[in-house]
Amino acid sequence: MKTVKHKILVLSGKGGVGKSTFSAHLAHGLAEDENTQVALLDIDICGPSIPKIMGLEGEQVHQSGSGWSPVFVEDNLGVMSVGFLLSSPDDAVIWRGPKKNGMIKQFLRDVDWGEVDYLIVDTPPGTSDEHLSAVQYLSAAHIDGAVIITTPQEVSLQDVRKEINFCHKVKLPIIGVVENMSVFICPKCKKETQIFPPTTGGAEVMCQDLKIPLLGKVPLDPHIGKSCDKGQSFLMDAPDSPATFAYRSIIQRIQEFCGHHPPKEEHFLSS
């Protein structure tokens, strides 16, 4: 981890809010600069979707004297996931906590990323074993912070508040919140429709109440799902989409945050 400059955790309290999709497009967006080395680590042990989204299904991990070699999408974008270790994408991973923790530790310790500017860690939903392990193992190497993904409706926000509370308890800095699927913008008439009504004010009001940054709102675009299923970058497939502009603005804010918070040593406080 000493060769990794910036480490970003992508969290969500609720499943299905687009966390892995965001992680993938954060990686794609950062890697558009050929001089930026990007690594994407998928620690969603039971539901690894990053290989599919990144177009890497069926790829295998190779081991060398310096450790596991990540699978590369581009010369400057490497990926590691438990999905690469399964014989079939339909295989279930039925592991208890200690085995999951061991795998995460192995990913963080034994993968030979080389010199990396950004490590993006895609986590499963919740505040459990995988999250504690990632924070604990990375704390000595400094984590820049967490990006928390939500959708506008209260049923998602109530779990996101727990995620924010988790970050405070383990002293994990919060880079900010991203509201996914905020509105649907009709491609023909450009009218905005709220598919998931923000009955309690959405992420914007929550962020104001909790005094944390709202990084941006990403509108629904059916092409995002299509690009993920094809394993392609939506940012390249639909450069003029309002969602692409939202992604790019959010990515820029994350880069600015990391630029203003140079690496320093931190220590995880275990309870």
Side-chain angles (χ1 to χ4, degrees):
M1 288 290 114
K2 287 179 181 175
T3 61
V4 180
K5 287 182 187 171
H6 298 291
K7 303 164 194 74
I8 300 165
L9 264 62
V10 179
L11 308 174
S12 74
K14 181 72 73 179
V17 296
K19 175 180 43 55
S20 295
T21 300
F22 179 82
S23 298
H25 286 94
L26 174 57
H28 278 305
L30 291 169
E32 285 179 8
D33 178 356
E34 293 178 0
N35 296 315
T36 300
Q37 295 294 321
V38 182
L40 176 56
L41 174 61
D42 178 10
I43 63 167
D44 191 344
I45 305 294
C46 295
S49 50
I50 287 296
K52 176 73 172 177
I53 294 172
M54 300 301 286
L56 299 173
E57 268 193 320
E59 294 287 343
Q60 298 291 315
V61 172
H62 300 287
Q63 200 152 13
S64 65
S66 54
W68 284 349
S69 299
V71 179
F72 284 89
V73 182
E74 307 284 350
D75 289 343
N76 65 332
L77 174 52
V79 179
M80 180 58 75
S81 169
V82 73
F84 298 141
L85 307 177
L86 304 177
S87 57
S88 161
D90 297 331
D91 284 354
V93 178
I94 308 170
W95 291 353
R96 294 190 188 275
K99 193 164 183 182
K100 288 184 188 176
N101 297 342
M103 177 58 73
I104 292 167
K105 191 171 187 177
Q106 200 168 357
F107 277 153
L108 294 172
R109 186 189 61 200
D110 295 345
V111 176
D112 180 19
W113 296 110
E115 295 285 337
V116 169
D117 295 295
Y118 292 95
L119 170 67
I120 299 151
V121 183
D122 181 38
T123 67
T127 56
S128 194
D129 283 344
E130 293 92 334
H131 311 82
L132 284 168
S133 296
V135 173
Q136 190 167 9
Y137 298 147
L138 285 172
S139 60
H142 171 74
I143 308 173
D144 287 79
V147 176
I148 301 174
I149 312 299
T150 187
T151 47
Q153 71 274 40
E154 177 59 24
V155 74
S156 176
L157 294 169
Q158 65 182 8
D159 285 344
V160 166
R161 291 187 193 96
K162 295 182 181 74
E163 200 75 42
I164 292 165
N165 181 252
F166 165 83
C167 291
H168 292 325
K169 283 184 174 178
V170 300
K171 296 183 167 35
L172 175 61
I174 297 172
I175 299 173
V177 173
V178 174
E179 185 178 85
N180 245 347
M181 313 180 205
S182 59
V183 294
F184 172 70
I185 303 173
C186 176
K188 288 199 169 70
C189 70
K190 307 301 178 188
K191 183 181 176 183
E192 293 188 4
T193 304
Q194 291 179 336
I195 306 296
F196 302 109
T199 53
T200 56
E204 191 166 353
V205 169
M206 180 193 71
C207 288
Q208 288 169 2
D209 290 345
L210 298 176
K211 296 180 173 56
I212 56 175
L214 176 65
L215 296 175
K217 301 179 180 182
V218 181
L220 272 166
D221 187 324
H223 290 100
I224 296 175
K226 290 179 183 176
S227 295
C228 290
D229 281 352
K230 291 189 292 184
Q232 296 173 351
S233 168
F234 168 75
L235 306 180
M236 301 298 288
D237 285 353
D240 298 323
S241 166
T244 296
F245 292 125
Y247 271 130
R248 293 200 184 283
S249 171
I250 292 164
I251 291 167
Q252 186 177 348
R253 291 192 65 183
I254 293 170
Q255 286 177 296
E256 287 168 0
F257 179 95
C258 292
H260 292 148
H261 294 76
K264 62 182 179 180
E265 195 166 307
E266 291 186 0
H267 297 284
F268 175 80
L269 299 178
S270 58
S271 56

